[in-house]
Every structure is written in C-alpha cells, then in structure tokens.
Amino acid sequence: PASKYTTIFILNLAFADFLYCVTNLPLYSLTYFSRKWPGSPEGCFAFAAFRLFNAYAAWMSLGFVAFSRFLAYSYPKLSKAVSIKNRNLMMVFGIWVYALAMVAPTISGIYGSFGYNEDLGKCDYIAKEGNTPRTIF
C-alpha cells in the first residue's frame, strides 16, 4: 500500500511534535503566566533556538507527508521507486539537518540573535543592527 511510504515521515512529525509538547509547552506556560522569561538569558537563547529548530523540522516533515501522499496517488510507480526505506531515512536525516541550517545563522549571530522579545512577550528572534532572519526567510 502507498501509506507505508509516508509512515517514516508521519513518525518523524510525531517525534517533532512530542519534543515540542515536552520541552516548549511547559516553558511557554511559565512565560505567559509570569509575563516574563523565568530563566537566564542563555536559557531564553537556547529555548528560542530549540523551538524554531523543532518547528522547522515539524513543518518540513508535514511537507514531506503531503508530498509523499501526492506522489503515491498521482504517480504510484514513481512513488515506489523513490520511496525506499534507506532513502526515506536519509530524507528524515536531511529534514533535521535543514532545520539546523535554518537556525544556524541566528545561533552564530549573523542574522540577529535569540533572546526575550519584549514586544511579543516570548523568547524569539532579536534584530541586531537591522539584521533579522524574519526578513531573510
């Protein structure tokens, strides 16, 4: 069946969502209830970086689920040729590498930084000298 080709992407999406629920939601709750970041600036940096890293991986996983379903229904022979277990595992690995590449410029300070954004009331991107990833991505 065509569904076996999307299982790895669905599991990857479930894993990313599980990480979000375990790590991000409790910290979001603390931040919103106290109306400030309850930890250190370094913790806020790490929280924002991990939240966005995880979000990019989840969004890409969702995109791969949709694309693999499209291939399975529109081009079943192509889908079977492309969707090989090891190749799908490599794509999942690529999803997480892509997610890391999306946050790496901000982690390294090229496009702003991560920190507590007073306007949004959460740990997020902080513009630095006019550079922010929001204008790039």
Side-chain angles (χ1 to χ4, degrees), residues 68-116:
S68 66
R69 299 308 300 154
F70 165 76
L71 278 181
Y73 289 118
S74 300
Y75 305 99
K77 289 181 183 179
L78 178 62
S79 176
K80 287 179 184 178
V82 171
S83 298
I84 300 170
K85 182 180 179 183
N86 289 340
R87 192 173 295 157
N88 284 354
L89 289 174
M90 290 292 289
M91 286 186 229
V92 166
F93 179 74
I95 287 170
W96 289 94
V97 169
Y98 169 80
L100 181 61
M102 292 296 287
V103 295
T106 307
I107 290 173
S108 64
I110 295 172
Y111 293 112
S113 182
F114 292 116
Y116 189 75

Side-chain angles (χ1 to χ4, degrees), residues 20-84:
Y20 184 84
C21 291
V22 169
T23 60
N24 294 337
L25 289 180
L27 292 172
Y28 261 137
S29 298
L30 288 173
T31 302
Y32 288 136
F33 286 131
S34 66
R35 298 184 190 258
K36 62 182 171 113
W37 173 249
S40 68
E42 294 81 12
C44 186
F45 182 96
F47 172 68
F50 182 75
R51 178 179 58 85
L52 290 164
F53 167 70
N54 192 15
Y56 289 134
W59 296 333
M60 286 299 294
S61 296
L62 186 59
F64 269 80
V65 168
F67 184 70
S68 66
R69 299 308 300 154
F70 165 76
L71 278 181
Y73 289 118
S74 300
Y75 305 99
K77 289 181 183 179
L78 178 62
S79 176
K80 287 179 184 178
V82 171
S83 298
I84 300 170

